Amino acid sequence: MTHDLERPLSDGDVLSVFPRGVADYGIRGELSMARFSGIQVDMPYKESRHRLPHFHINGHVASIAWDGTLLDGSLKGLTRSQKRQLDKWISDHKQDIRENWDRRQRGIEMIPIGPWE
């Protein structure tokens, strides 16, 4: 299964920039779901921009839907190996991502998925 992880930015796409270190510690108001190969995966507790179930990587560098579709941002900073590992993580944990989104919608505590490196 391939995901739209390499789609270039288009007019109207939004790229948020956060200070160095945000990816190391997560963003307040988000659950850190996994950390592997230099990638931090967080799910927002509150989100008004995207209604689709999604998560953020490396401090909002990109927003990715639970099915792997790139919603905004860019993955240009990731190596090919990191992109493959992210793609595999999405494929392996698609149901977990969706369940966390559903828990979030109901106000129930979300559950970290892992791995943690």
Side-chain angles (χ1 to χ4, degrees), residues 24-88:
D24 295 333
Y25 304 106
I27 295 175
R28 189 175 178 173
E30 297 197 339
L31 167 75
S32 292
M33 291 197 303
R35 188 177 307 118
F36 55 93
S37 303
I39 301 169
Q40 172 137 351
V41 181
D42 301 309
M43 181 171 282
Y45 282 108
K46 268 186 146 178
E47 176 72 54
S48 57
R49 196 179 326 173
H50 307 297
R51 299 281 181 221
L52 291 172
H54 71 283
F55 56 90
H56 300 144
I57 64 162
N58 294 352
H60 285 211
V61 167
S63 294
I64 302 172
W66 71 286
D67 66 357
T69 303
L70 182 65
L71 298 176
D72 71 38
S74 173
L75 300 178
K76 290 179 184 177
L78 299 183
T79 66
R80 255 189 215 153
S81 174
Q82 287 174 314
K83 288 176 186 175
R84 280 193 304 270
Q85 289 175 52
L86 179 60
D87 190 50
K88 180 172 179 8

Side-chain angles (χ1 to χ4, degrees), residues 9 21 23 25 43-44 52 61 70 89 92 97 99 110 116-117:
L9 290 173
Y25 304 106
M43 181 171 282
L52 291 172
V61 167
L70 182 65
W89 184 85
D92 290 350
I97 297 165
E99 286 174 13
M110 295 185 286
W116 300 98
E117 294 177 5

